[in-house]
Amino acid sequence: MASSTGARRKVFVTGLSAGGAMASVMLATYPEVFAGGAITAGLPYGCASNVQQAFEAMFTDQGHAAQALGNRVRAASRHRGPWPKISVWHGTDDPIVKPSNSEDIIRQWTNVHGLSESPSYNESIENHTRCVWNDADGEARIEAFSISGMTHGVPLATTTEESCGSAGAFFLDVGISSTHHVARFFRLHESLVEMPRAAAPASTTIQIPTDGGALVIAGAAAKGLHSSAETWLAEDEKRQTRYPLDPNDVIAAAFKAAGLPVPEIPTAPPGTSPHVAPGPIIAAAFKAAGITIPNFGRADEVIE
């Protein structure tokens, strides 16, 4: 893959959990493509080359040396800079991917950027901690959020001015919106993005303000988006009414199709909305990998 300098400034990658680990892979193997990446509850690049090593990285403190971690990224491509900006997010109470992985990710990328392991400064946002590493020009290159009390998921804020998203499985309302903070860190809020106008002028305008910029959808395009969104939501509501979907059934079917042990997931009580039960799913994955199954608590425990 290749990218022009102009295009690279607009390309970012992000992911949660396995997606966070994949974001690490993409940033390390194609650093010339990405201006930045956000890794949420992920793993450092090169920490595993098979399933068992991946689980060991998830559940045990690895404590890799910064130089060794940085060398893995440098060996992943011929690129020698500039390197992508990195935003790291992890909950302090994550039972699925140990928070020490975020420390390894930080050590990996501070080493690649040639920065000190000690942050340039840190700050408290509500009861959460943000650390920032600046380069020699004073520009922030790496940030890391430690979200107090959060388990495994994407941090959301659904009742603040920066409300974004809806709480659900692996989307946790902890009073801080990672989406807003990452966008600011990547300076996406400074861009003014305007959708193409229709040939005939129209008065409808949607504007979503941000700090110093806005996403503006003008004229008939906005009206069309409203119409399309309303139609899609109405159809989706009908689909959910006619075909209630239990995500656990989908996951169990995927395990069975792959020839893996099927998770022993408890049946949801009648009349309740299905929720993902991570314990049996992860236990089945451990069993498939032939390694010791950790204690995840009650078998009927689910993520709300």
Side-chain angles (χ1 to χ4, degrees), residues 140-209:
R141 303 302 304 173
I142 298 170
E143 69 170 1
F145 279 81
S146 180
I147 307 302
S148 178
M150 190 179 78
T151 55
H152 191 68
V154 174
L156 301 181
T158 63
T159 59
T160 68
E161 292 182 1
E162 293 189 338
S163 178
C164 181
S166 299
F170 305 110
F171 289 87
L172 310 178
D173 189 355
V174 291
I176 184 170
S177 171
S178 58
T179 299
H180 283 84
H181 281 277
V182 169
R184 277 197 293 269
F185 184 62
F186 293 154
R187 303 177 73 168
L188 298 178
H189 67 292
E190 298 176 359
S191 302
L192 182 65
V193 181
E194 186 166 334
M195 298 294 288
R197 294 177 179 271
S203 59
T204 306
T205 301
I206 303 171
Q207 183 165 327
I208 305 173

Side-chain angles (χ1 to χ4, degrees), residues 88 101-111 133 142 144:
V88 183
N101 282 286
S102 67
E103 299 169 8
D104 281 345
I105 294 169
I106 293 164
R107 279 198 296 272
Q108 184 164 67
W109 284 100
T110 52
N111 184 268
W133 286 259
I142 298 170

Side-chain angles (χ1 to χ4, degrees), residues 116-139:
S116 169
E117 288 190 37
S118 300
S120 303
Y121 67 91
N122 55 61
E123 59 182 339
S124 294
I125 301 176
E126 299 297 333
N127 59 334
H128 313 301
T129 302
R130 177 184 184 241
C131 297
V132 179
W133 286 259
N134 293 336
D135 62 17
D137 297 325
E139 182 178 352

Side-chain angles (χ1 to χ4, degrees), residues 7-34:
R8 181 180 185 271
R9 286 197 294 266
K10 303 176 184 178
V11 180
F12 303 87
V13 62
T14 183
L16 162 70
S17 194
M22 182 54 69
S24 288
V25 171
M26 297 296 288
L27 291 163
T29 54
Y30 300 106
E32 74 282 4
V33 172
F34 299 102

Side-chain angles (χ1 to χ4, degrees), residues 290-304:
I291 55 180
T292 303
I293 301 174
N295 181 14
F296 291 102
R298 301 192 324 270
D300 61 345
E301 192 170 23
V302 299
I303 287 182
E304 298 290 342

Side-chain angles (χ1 to χ4, degrees), residues 271-298:
T272 62
S273 299
H275 295 87
V276 174
I281 295 168
I282 298 172
F286 267 74
K287 184 177 180 181
I291 55 180
T292 303
I293 301 174
N295 181 14
F296 291 102
R298 301 192 324 270

